[in-house]
Amino acid sequence: DQDNQLQTNYNQLEEKSRRLTEEKEDLNRKHTTAQFEITKLQGEMQELQLQLSTKLKDEKIQQERLQQLQQQIKNSSVNNLTERLDNTETELEKAHQSLTNCQQLVKQRDEEMTQKDELISTLKETLDDRAME
């Protein structure tokens, strides 16, 4: 009778071990999928930063894309990955701040170029006036 009980306990433990192994493999697959999604989204964010550092034309479109990425990150949450994804959102907010800073730098550069163009025009007029004299 004791042998039967031991065998039953052993079988139950073996079944539980098999289920836990399957669950672990499932969680590993979900983790890998979510990790891939995070990497893909981070790549998209880097691409947006590059575009904005070159020239920002339409901030509204960039804001909408950023919100889409944040929503995709929220939607890609699986099991215990929520904390990791929250950290990624924080990184996205920092990246957005960097994008805003880049926009300000581009605007300043454009203003400086306008001032330089105006100065060049003024100098040309002065040279033309002197050449006429």
Side-chain angles (χ1 to χ4, degrees), residues 89-132:
E89 278 191 57
T90 301
E91 290 177 29
L92 284 173
E93 289 170 7
K94 289 178 184 176
H96 175 65
Q97 184 59 47
S98 293
L99 296 178
T100 301
N101 292 344
C102 286
Q103 181 185 19
Q104 291 172 345
L105 290 175
V106 168
K107 185 177 179 183
Q108 288 175 356
R109 188 193 65 206
D110 287 348
E111 289 172 0
E112 289 173 5
M113 292 302 289
T114 300
Q115 290 174 355
K116 287 179 182 178
D117 288 345
E118 290 172 358
L119 180 59
I120 289 171
S121 292
T122 302
L123 289 174
K124 281 184 179 179
E125 288 176 16
T126 302
L127 287 174
D128 289 347
D129 289 349
R130 287 189 184 168
M132 294 269 212

Short mmCIF file of all heavy atoms in Angstrom, two decimals, residues 89-132:
data_model
loop_
_atom_site.label_atom_id
_atom_site.label_comp_id
_atom_site.label_asym_id
_atom_site.label_seq_id
_atom_site.Cartn_x
_atom_site.Cartn_y
_atom_site.Cartn_z
N GLU A 89 8.92 52.35 -21.93
CA GLU A 89 8.14 53.57 -22.10
C GLU A 89 8.91 54.77 -21.57
O GLU A 89 8.90 55.85 -22.17
CB GLU A 89 6.79 53.47 -21.38
CG GLU A 89 5.75 52.73 -22.18
CD GLU A 89 4.38 52.86 -21.57
OE1 GLU A 89 3.92 54.00 -21.40
OE2 GLU A 89 3.77 51.82 -21.29
N THR A 90 9.57 54.59 -20.42
CA THR A 90 10.37 55.68 -19.86
C THR A 90 11.48 56.07 -20.85
O THR A 90 11.74 57.25 -21.06
CB THR A 90 10.96 55.26 -18.50
OG1 THR A 90 9.89 54.92 -17.62
CG2 THR A 90 11.79 56.37 -17.89
N GLU A 91 12.10 55.06 -21.44
CA GLU A 91 13.14 55.34 -22.44
C GLU A 91 12.54 56.09 -23.63
O GLU A 91 13.18 56.99 -24.19
CB GLU A 91 13.77 54.04 -22.92
CG GLU A 91 14.64 53.36 -21.86
CD GLU A 91 15.21 52.03 -22.35
OE1 GLU A 91 15.42 51.88 -23.57
OE2 GLU A 91 15.44 51.17 -21.49
N LEU A 92 11.33 55.72 -24.03
CA LEU A 92 10.68 56.41 -25.14
C LEU A 92 10.40 57.87 -24.80
O LEU A 92 10.55 58.75 -25.64
CB LEU A 92 9.37 55.70 -25.51
CG LEU A 92 9.52 54.41 -26.30
CD1 LEU A 92 8.16 53.73 -26.43
CD2 LEU A 92 10.12 54.65 -27.66
N GLU A 93 10.00 58.12 -23.55
CA GLU A 93 9.75 59.49 -23.14
C GLU A 93 11.06 60.29 -23.18
O GLU A 93 11.07 61.45 -23.61
CB GLU A 93 9.15 59.52 -21.73
CG GLU A 93 7.71 59.02 -21.70
CD GLU A 93 7.17 58.79 -20.29
OE1 GLU A 93 7.86 59.15 -19.32
OE2 GLU A 93 6.05 58.27 -20.18
N LYS A 94 12.15 59.66 -22.74
CA LYS A 94 13.45 60.34 -22.81
C LYS A 94 13.82 60.61 -24.28
O LYS A 94 14.36 61.67 -24.61
CB LYS A 94 14.53 59.49 -22.14
CG LYS A 94 14.42 59.43 -20.63
CD LYS A 94 15.49 58.53 -20.04
CE LYS A 94 15.34 58.38 -18.54
NZ LYS A 94 16.32 57.44 -17.99
N ALA A 95 13.55 59.61 -25.13
CA ALA A 95 13.84 59.79 -26.55
C ALA A 95 13.00 60.92 -27.13
O ALA A 95 13.49 61.72 -27.94
CB ALA A 95 13.57 58.49 -27.32
N HIS A 96 11.75 61.01 -26.70
CA HIS A 96 10.90 62.11 -27.17
C HIS A 96 11.48 63.45 -26.74
O HIS A 96 11.48 64.41 -27.49
CB HIS A 96 9.48 61.95 -26.64
CG HIS A 96 8.59 63.10 -26.98
ND1 HIS A 96 8.23 63.41 -28.28
CD2 HIS A 96 8.00 64.04 -26.20
CE1 HIS A 96 7.48 64.48 -28.28
NE2 HIS A 96 7.32 64.89 -27.04
N GLN A 97 11.99 63.51 -25.51
CA GLN A 97 12.61 64.75 -25.03
C GLN A 97 13.82 65.09 -25.90
O GLN A 97 14.04 66.24 -26.26
CB GLN A 97 13.02 64.62 -23.56
CG GLN A 97 13.57 65.91 -22.98
CD GLN A 97 12.57 67.06 -23.06
OE1 GLN A 97 11.41 66.91 -22.72
NE2 GLN A 97 13.02 68.22 -23.52
N SER A 98 14.61 64.05 -26.24
CA SER A 98 15.76 64.27 -27.13
C SER A 98 15.28 64.77 -28.49
O SER A 98 15.91 65.65 -29.09
CB SER A 98 16.53 62.96 -27.32
OG SER A 98 17.13 62.57 -26.12
N LEU A 99 14.19 64.21 -29.00
CA LEU A 99 13.65 64.65 -30.28
C LEU A 99 13.22 66.12 -30.21
O LEU A 99 13.46 66.90 -31.13
CB LEU A 99 12.46 63.78 -30.68
CG LEU A 99 12.75 62.30 -30.92
CD1 LEU A 99 11.46 61.57 -31.26
CD2 LEU A 99 13.77 62.09 -32.00
N THR A 100 12.59 66.48 -29.10
CA THR A 100 12.17 67.87 -28.91
C THR A 100 13.39 68.79 -28.87
O THR A 100 13.40 69.87 -29.48
CB THR A 100 11.35 68.00 -27.61
OG1 THR A 100 10.22 67.13 -27.70
CG2 THR A 100 10.87 69.42 -27.40
N ASN A 101 14.43 68.35 -28.17
CA ASN A 101 15.66 69.14 -28.12
C ASN A 101 16.27 69.31 -29.51
O ASN A 101 16.74 70.40 -29.86
CB ASN A 101 16.67 68.50 -27.17
CG ASN A 101 16.21 68.57 -25.72
OD1 ASN A 101 15.33 69.33 -25.37
ND2 ASN A 101 16.82 67.76 -24.87
N CYS A 102 16.25 68.23 -30.29
CA CYS A 102 16.77 68.30 -31.67
C CYS A 102 15.96 69.30 -32.49
O CYS A 102 16.52 70.07 -33.27
CB CYS A 102 16.71 66.92 -32.34
SG CYS A 102 17.96 65.77 -31.75
N GLN A 103 14.66 69.28 -32.29
CA GLN A 103 13.80 70.22 -33.03
C GLN A 103 14.18 71.65 -32.68
O GLN A 103 14.26 72.51 -33.56
CB GLN A 103 12.34 69.95 -32.68
CG GLN A 103 11.38 70.87 -33.42
CD GLN A 103 9.95 70.68 -32.98
OE1 GLN A 103 9.70 70.13 -31.93
NE2 GLN A 103 9.03 71.15 -33.79
N GLN A 104 14.42 71.91 -31.41
CA GLN A 104 14.80 73.26 -31.00
C GLN A 104 16.14 73.66 -31.62
O GLN A 104 16.31 74.80 -32.07
CB GLN A 104 14.87 73.35 -29.47
CG GLN A 104 13.51 73.26 -28.80
CD GLN A 104 13.59 73.15 -27.29
OE1 GLN A 104 14.66 72.86 -26.75
NE2 GLN A 104 12.48 73.38 -26.62
N LEU A 105 17.08 72.71 -31.66
CA LEU A 105 18.38 73.01 -32.26
C LEU A 105 18.25 73.30 -33.76
O LEU A 105 18.88 74.22 -34.28
CB LEU A 105 19.35 71.83 -32.04
CG LEU A 105 19.83 71.64 -30.60
CD1 LEU A 105 20.67 70.37 -30.50
CD2 LEU A 105 20.63 72.84 -30.13
N VAL A 106 17.41 72.52 -34.43
CA VAL A 106 17.19 72.75 -35.87
C VAL A 106 16.56 74.11 -36.08
O VAL A 106 16.95 74.87 -36.98
CB VAL A 106 16.32 71.62 -36.47
CG1 VAL A 106 15.85 72.00 -37.87
CG2 VAL A 106 17.09 70.31 -36.51
N LYS A 107 15.60 74.47 -35.24
CA LYS A 107 14.95 75.78 -35.36
C LYS A 107 15.96 76.90 -35.14
O LYS A 107 15.99 77.89 -35.89
CB LYS A 107 13.81 75.87 -34.34
CG LYS A 107 13.00 77.14 -34.46
CD LYS A 107 11.84 77.15 -33.48
CE LYS A 107 11.06 78.44 -33.58
NZ LYS A 107 9.97 78.52 -32.62
N GLN A 108 16.83 76.75 -34.12
CA GLN A 108 17.86 77.76 -33.87
C GLN A 108 18.80 77.88 -35.06
O GLN A 108 19.17 78.98 -35.47
CB GLN A 108 18.66 77.40 -32.61
CG GLN A 108 17.89 77.61 -31.32
CD GLN A 108 18.67 77.12 -30.11
OE1 GLN A 108 19.76 76.55 -30.24
NE2 GLN A 108 18.10 77.31 -28.93
N ARG A 109 19.17 76.72 -35.61
CA ARG A 109 20.07 76.72 -36.77
C ARG A 109 19.41 77.43 -37.96
O ARG A 109 20.04 78.24 -38.64
CB ARG A 109 20.45 75.29 -37.16
CG ARG A 109 21.54 75.26 -38.25
CD ARG A 109 21.71 73.92 -38.87
NE ARG A 109 20.48 73.61 -39.58
CZ ARG A 109 20.05 72.39 -39.83
NH1 ARG A 109 20.74 71.37 -39.43
NH2 ARG A 109 18.92 72.19 -40.48
N ASP A 110 18.14 77.17 -38.18
CA ASP A 110 17.42 77.83 -39.27
C ASP A 110 17.37 79.34 -39.06
O ASP A 110 17.53 80.11 -40.01
CB ASP A 110 16.00 77.26 -39.40
CG ASP A 110 15.99 75.85 -39.99
OD1 ASP A 110 17.05 75.41 -40.50
OD2 ASP A 110 14.93 75.20 -39.92
N GLU A 111 17.13 79.75 -37.81
CA GLU A 111 17.10 81.17 -37.50
C GLU A 111 18.47 81.81 -37.75
O GLU A 111 18.56 82.92 -38.30
CB GLU A 111 16.65 81.40 -36.06
CG GLU A 111 15.18 81.09 -35.83
CD GLU A 111 14.77 81.13 -34.35
OE1 GLU A 111 15.64 81.39 -33.48
OE2 GLU A 111 13.59 80.90 -34.07
N GLU A 112 19.53 81.11 -37.34
CA GLU A 112 20.88 81.63 -37.57
C GLU A 112 21.17 81.75 -39.07
O GLU A 112 21.77 82.72 -39.52
CB GLU A 112 21.91 80.72 -36.90
CG GLU A 112 21.90 80.81 -35.38
CD GLU A 112 22.82 79.79 -34.72
OE1 GLU A 112 23.55 79.06 -35.45
OE2 GLU A 112 22.82 79.71 -33.48
N MET A 113 20.73 80.74 -39.83
CA MET A 113 20.96 80.78 -41.28
C MET A 113 20.20 81.96 -41.90
O MET A 113 20.72 82.64 -42.80
CB MET A 113 20.51 79.46 -41.92
CG MET A 113 21.37 78.26 -41.54
SD MET A 113 23.11 78.46 -41.96
CE MET A 113 23.02 78.35 -43.73
N THR A 114 18.99 82.21 -41.41
CA THR A 114 18.21 83.34 -41.91
C THR A 114 18.94 84.64 -41.61
O THR A 114 19.05 85.54 -42.46
CB THR A 114 16.80 83.34 -41.27
OG1 THR A 114 16.15 82.12 -41.61
CG2 THR A 114 15.98 84.52 -41.76
N GLN A 115 19.45 84.76 -40.39
CA GLN A 115 20.20 85.97 -40.02
C GLN A 115 21.44 86.13 -40.89
O GLN A 115 21.75 87.25 -41.34
CB GLN A 115 20.59 85.92 -38.54
CG GLN A 115 19.42 86.06 -37.59
CD GLN A 115 19.82 85.85 -36.13
OE1 GLN A 115 20.96 85.51 -35.84
NE2 GLN A 115 18.87 86.06 -35.23
N LYS A 116 22.13 85.03 -41.15
CA LYS A 116 23.33 85.09 -41.99
C LYS A 116 22.96 85.49 -43.41
O LYS A 116 23.67 86.28 -44.06
CB LYS A 116 24.06 83.76 -41.98
CG LYS A 116 24.78 83.49 -40.67
CD LYS A 116 25.48 82.14 -40.66
CE LYS A 116 26.14 81.89 -39.30
NZ LYS A 116 26.77 80.59 -39.26
N ASP A 117 21.83 84.94 -43.92
CA ASP A 117 21.37 85.30 -45.26
C ASP A 117 21.06 86.79 -45.35
O ASP A 117 21.40 87.46 -46.34
CB ASP A 117 20.13 84.48 -45.66
CG ASP A 117 20.47 83.03 -45.96
OD1 ASP A 117 21.68 82.72 -46.14
OD2 ASP A 117 19.53 82.21 -46.03
N GLU A 118 20.41 87.30 -44.29
CA GLU A 118 20.09 88.73 -44.26
C GLU A 118 21.37 89.57 -44.23
O GLU A 118 21.47 90.61 -44.90
CB GLU A 118 19.20 89.04 -43.05
CG GLU A 118 17.80 88.48 -43.17
CD GLU A 118 16.98 88.62 -41.89
OE1 GLU A 118 17.51 89.14 -40.87
OE2 GLU A 118 15.81 88.20 -41.90
N LEU A 119 22.34 89.13 -43.44
CA LEU A 119 23.61 89.85 -43.36
C LEU A 119 24.31 89.84 -44.72
O LEU A 119 24.84 90.87 -45.17
CB LEU A 119 24.50 89.22 -42.29
CG LEU A 119 25.87 89.87 -42.09
CD1 LEU A 119 25.72 91.34 -41.69
CD2 LEU A 119 26.67 89.10 -41.02
N ILE A 120 24.30 88.70 -45.40
CA ILE A 120 24.93 88.60 -46.72
C ILE A 120 24.24 89.55 -47.70
O ILE A 120 24.89 90.25 -48.48
CB ILE A 120 24.90 87.13 -47.23
CG1 ILE A 120 25.88 86.29 -46.40
CG2 ILE A 120 25.20 87.05 -48.71
CD1 ILE A 120 25.79 84.80 -46.65
N SER A 121 22.90 89.59 -47.64
CA SER A 121 22.17 90.50 -48.53
C SER A 121 22.55 91.95 -48.26
O SER A 121 22.77 92.74 -49.19
CB SER A 121 20.66 90.33 -48.34
OG SER A 121 20.25 89.09 -48.80
N THR A 122 22.63 92.28 -46.98
CA THR A 122 23.01 93.66 -46.61
C THR A 122 24.42 93.97 -47.10
O THR A 122 24.68 95.05 -47.66
CB THR A 122 22.94 93.83 -45.08
OG1 THR A 122 21.62 93.52 -44.64
CG2 THR A 122 23.29 95.25 -44.66
N LEU A 123 25.35 93.03 -46.92
CA LEU A 123 26.72 93.25 -47.39
C LEU A 123 26.77 93.39 -48.92
O LEU A 123 27.51 94.23 -49.45
CB LEU A 123 27.62 92.10 -46.93
CG LEU A 123 27.91 92.06 -45.42
CD1 LEU A 123 28.67 90.79 -45.07
CD2 LEU A 123 28.71 93.28 -44.99
N LYS A 124 25.98 92.58 -49.63
CA LYS A 124 25.95 92.68 -51.08
C LYS A 124 25.45 94.06 -51.51
O LYS A 124 25.98 94.67 -52.43
CB LYS A 124 25.07 91.59 -51.68
CG LYS A 124 25.72 90.25 -51.77
CD LYS A 124 24.79 89.25 -52.46
CE LYS A 124 25.43 87.90 -52.57
NZ LYS A 124 24.55 86.92 -53.19
N GLU A 125 24.38 94.53 -50.84
CA GLU A 125 23.83 95.84 -51.18
C GLU A 125 24.88 96.93 -50.94
O GLU A 125 25.04 97.84 -51.74
CB GLU A 125 22.58 96.11 -50.34
CG GLU A 125 21.38 95.31 -50.75
CD GLU A 125 20.18 95.53 -49.83
OE1 GLU A 125 20.17 96.52 -49.07
OE2 GLU A 125 19.25 94.71 -49.90
N THR A 126 25.59 96.80 -49.81
CA THR A 126 26.62 97.78 -49.49
C THR A 126 27.72 97.76 -50.55
O THR A 126 28.17 98.81 -51.02
CB THR A 126 27.22 97.49 -48.09
OG1 THR A 126 26.17 97.53 -47.13
CG2 THR A 126 28.27 98.52 -47.72
N LEU A 127 28.15 96.55 -50.94
CA LEU A 127 29.18 96.43 -51.98
C LEU A 127 28.69 96.98 -53.31
O LEU A 127 29.43 97.66 -54.03
CB LEU A 127 29.60 94.97 -52.13
CG LEU A 127 30.47 94.40 -51.00
CD1 LEU A 127 30.70 92.91 -51.22
CD2 LEU A 127 31.81 95.13 -50.94
N ASP A 128 27.43 96.69 -53.63
CA ASP A 128 26.85 97.21 -54.88
C ASP A 128 26.81 98.74 -54.86
O ASP A 128 27.12 99.40 -55.86
CB ASP A 128 25.44 96.64 -55.11
CG ASP A 128 25.49 95.17 -55.48
OD1 ASP A 128 26.59 94.65 -55.79
OD2 ASP A 128 24.41 94.52 -55.44
N ASP A 129 26.40 99.28 -53.69
CA ASP A 129 26.34 100.74 -53.55
C ASP A 129 27.73 101.35 -53.73
O ASP A 129 27.91 102.37 -54.39
CB ASP A 129 25.77 101.13 -52.18
CG ASP A 129 24.27 100.83 -52.07
OD1 ASP A 129 23.65 100.53 -53.14
OD2 ASP A 129 23.73 100.88 -50.95
N ARG A 130 28.73 100.73 -53.12
CA ARG A 130 30.09 101.25 -53.24
C ARG A 130 30.61 101.11 -54.66
O ARG A 130 31.37 101.95 -55.14
CB ARG A 130 31.03 100.53 -52.26
CG ARG A 130 30.77 100.96 -50.83
CD ARG A 130 31.81 100.42 -49.90
NE ARG A 130 31.52 100.77 -48.52
CZ ARG A 130 32.11 100.25 -47.48
NH1 ARG A 130 33.05 99.35 -47.66
NH2 ARG A 130 31.78 100.62 -46.27
N ALA A 131 30.21 100.02 -55.29
CA ALA A 131 30.67 99.81 -56.66
C ALA A 131 30.07 100.87 -57.59
O ALA A 131 30.70 101.28 -58.57
CB ALA A 131 30.29 98.41 -57.12
N MET A 132 28.87 101.32 -57.27
CA MET A 132 28.21 102.34 -58.07
C MET A 132 28.90 103.70 -57.89
O MET A 132 28.85 104.53 -58.78
CB MET A 132 26.74 102.47 -57.66
CG MET A 132 25.93 101.25 -57.97
SD MET A 132 25.25 101.43 -59.58
CE MET A 132 23.74 100.57 -59.44
#
